[in-house]
Amino acid sequence: MKKGGALFITITGVIILLGGLLTYGLGIHKLIPVPRPDLIVTGTSLIGILLIISGTCDLFIKKSKEMEIEENDERNIALSNAAMASGFKVMSFTTAISIFGLIFTGYMTVVPCFTLIGAYTIGQIVFVMRLWYLNKTM
């Protein structure tokens, strides 16, 4: 990842973390009309910390010339793409099964249901469109 992207991720993580801690410190999290206001602080803190760790790791890891050449090697790129394709297939299957299970056990309400189904559908549409484009151009 480039330094600008890693810096953006780190700054975003700090903003999210501080926003979550600020809502807790000011007591705003109790006033927000959500079913579990305690999860606002926990969720934003966890997401912020994970983004900060991810961004700072990318910022402070120094790559040697050999590592950069290895990273840009066509074989390694093909292996990485094949691994991501397998991960996408597994993630698509498990997401569909998870949505199905949550809907029919009664844990899923309408808004998160349509949000997850929409995100799943967008991912599948992007896959099909990219596949069509690559088959057309290659």
Side-chain angles (χ1 to χ4, degrees), residues 15-90:
I15 291 170
I16 291 172
L17 175 63
L18 291 178
L21 294 176
L22 187 64
T23 60
Y24 179 73
L26 296 176
I28 298 172
H29 71 287
K30 295 178 183 176
L31 303 175
I32 299 173
V34 294
R36 297 276 311 270
D38 57 323
L39 291 180
I40 293 173
V41 178
T42 306
T44 55
S45 299
L46 182 61
I47 290 169
I49 289 169
L50 291 174
L51 287 174
I52 291 169
I53 290 170
S54 174
T56 53
C57 284
D58 287 339
L59 281 174
F60 293 120
I61 292 176
K62 301 283 184 196
K63 293 183 180 177
S64 66
K65 280 289 188 191
E66 293 173 0
M67 290 172 69
E68 288 181 18
I69 292 170
E70 184 82 16
E71 187 177 291
N72 294 329
D73 183 36
E74 289 182 27
R75 180 178 179 274
N76 290 336
I77 292 172
L79 291 173
S80 176
N81 288 339
M84 283 190 284
S86 298
F88 176 76
K89 288 178 185 177
V90 170

Side-chain angles (χ1 to χ4, degrees), residues 59-126:
L59 281 174
F60 293 120
I61 292 176
K62 301 283 184 196
K63 293 183 180 177
S64 66
K65 280 289 188 191
E66 293 173 0
M67 290 172 69
E68 288 181 18
I69 292 170
E70 184 82 16
E71 187 177 291
N72 294 329
D73 183 36
E74 289 182 27
R75 180 178 179 274
N76 290 336
I77 292 172
L79 291 173
S80 176
N81 288 339
M84 283 190 284
S86 298
F88 176 76
K89 288 178 185 177
V90 170
M91 186 179 64
S92 295
F93 177 74
T94 57
T95 302
I97 295 299
S98 298
I99 292 171
F100 178 79
L102 289 171
I103 289 171
F104 289 104
T105 56
Y107 288 105
M108 181 76 74
T109 59
V110 174
V111 174
C113 176
F114 285 124
T115 303
L116 290 174
I117 290 173
Y120 179 78
T121 304
I122 289 170
Q124 297 301 317
I125 289 171
V126 168

